[in-house]
Amino acid sequence: MDKSLLSEDDIFINQVFESCNSYYERICDHLLREEKVDINYLHSIKEREKKFPTGLNTGKICVAIPHTDFQHCETNQLVITTLKRPVFFKQMDDPTKLCGVNIIIQILFYTPDKQVELLKQLMNLIQNQNFLQDVLDANNKKTILDLFEKGN
């Protein structure tokens, strides 16, 4: 994974959220303060989630990969959040079903040309339950950075 997409400032470990909306509100507030997104980002990502859910039932450990239009982002970045207890997201492949997500990998795209390659890399990573378990077990940001940089 490209090291420039990762920052300790955008890694949150063992977080607790009541819902995906409470996740979006807290994380988007952080991103807005960091000037990584514009004022319309929160509304845009919530609306996109309604139309195109991002929960992935990848096995024992489930993942969500929320993102929205590049026009609302000021950088290319990953925001990685591990959860103390799952947050329910509608499934990408079947929006009538929910999956309890343990890891959220939010993607910020400033340039749309990065989107396809980055999603491909992430899909390879999140299909590996051992990788996901290592991320979930990590108790510091440096370990998570190392895991994503190595890609395994």
Side-chain angles (χ1 to χ4, degrees):
M1 182 75 47
D2 182 351
K3 198 175 190 173
S4 70
L5 298 170
L6 304 164
S7 166
E8 285 191 24
D9 292 340
D10 296 317
I11 295 175
F12 304 92
I13 299 172
N14 290 322
Q15 299 295 299
V16 176
F17 299 98
E18 297 305 313
S19 66
C20 60
N21 277 333
S22 64
Y23 162 80
Y24 286 132
E25 288 165 14
R26 189 174 341 149
I27 298 302
C28 292
D29 182 57
H30 160 79
L31 294 171
L32 188 58
R33 283 192 319 270
E34 296 280 319
E35 298 180 352
K36 294 180 178 179
V37 297
D38 70 17
I39 194 74
N40 298 311
Y41 182 84
L42 175 61
H43 175 74
S44 180
I45 201 163
K46 283 182 172 183
E47 288 302 307
R48 188 184 188 288
E49 188 71 31
K50 287 179 191 173
K51 295 175 189 163
F52 305 104
T54 59
L56 293 165
N57 188 348
T58 51
K60 180 182 169 200
I61 300 170
C62 296
V63 177
I65 306 179
H67 54 283
T68 194
D69 300 327
F70 72 94
Q71 294 94 333
H72 301 295
C73 300
E74 305 297 332
T75 186
N76 294 311
Q77 186 84 43
L78 294 180
V79 180
I80 302 164
T81 305
T82 63
L83 303 171
K84 197 174 278 192
R85 62 177 190 255
V87 170
F88 290 92
F89 279 72
K90 289 184 180 178
Q91 288 185 194
M92 187 183 294
D93 61 340
D94 185 351
T96 65
K97 294 181 180 175
L98 296 174
C99 61
V101 167
N102 309 92
I103 300 170
I104 304 170
I105 305 169
Q106 189 169 334
I107 307 171
L108 306 179
F109 297 110
Y110 178 64
T111 53
D113 58 309
K114 296 266 189 195
Q115 185 173 358
V116 173
E117 181 59 34
L118 183 55
L119 284 171
K120 198 183 304 182
Q121 288 177 30
L122 283 175
M123 293 309 280
N124 285 335
L125 287 177
I126 65 171
Q127 292 177 32
N128 180 340
Q129 285 289 305
N130 291 328
F131 170 80
L132 295 177
Q133 188 65 59
D134 289 345
V135 170
L136 203 53
D137 290 343
N139 56 12
N140 65 69
K141 295 177 180 194
K142 174 87 171 86
T143 301
I144 291 176
L145 281 176
D146 290 345
L147 286 165
F148 273 86
E149 283 177 22
K150 291 175 186 168
N152 55 19

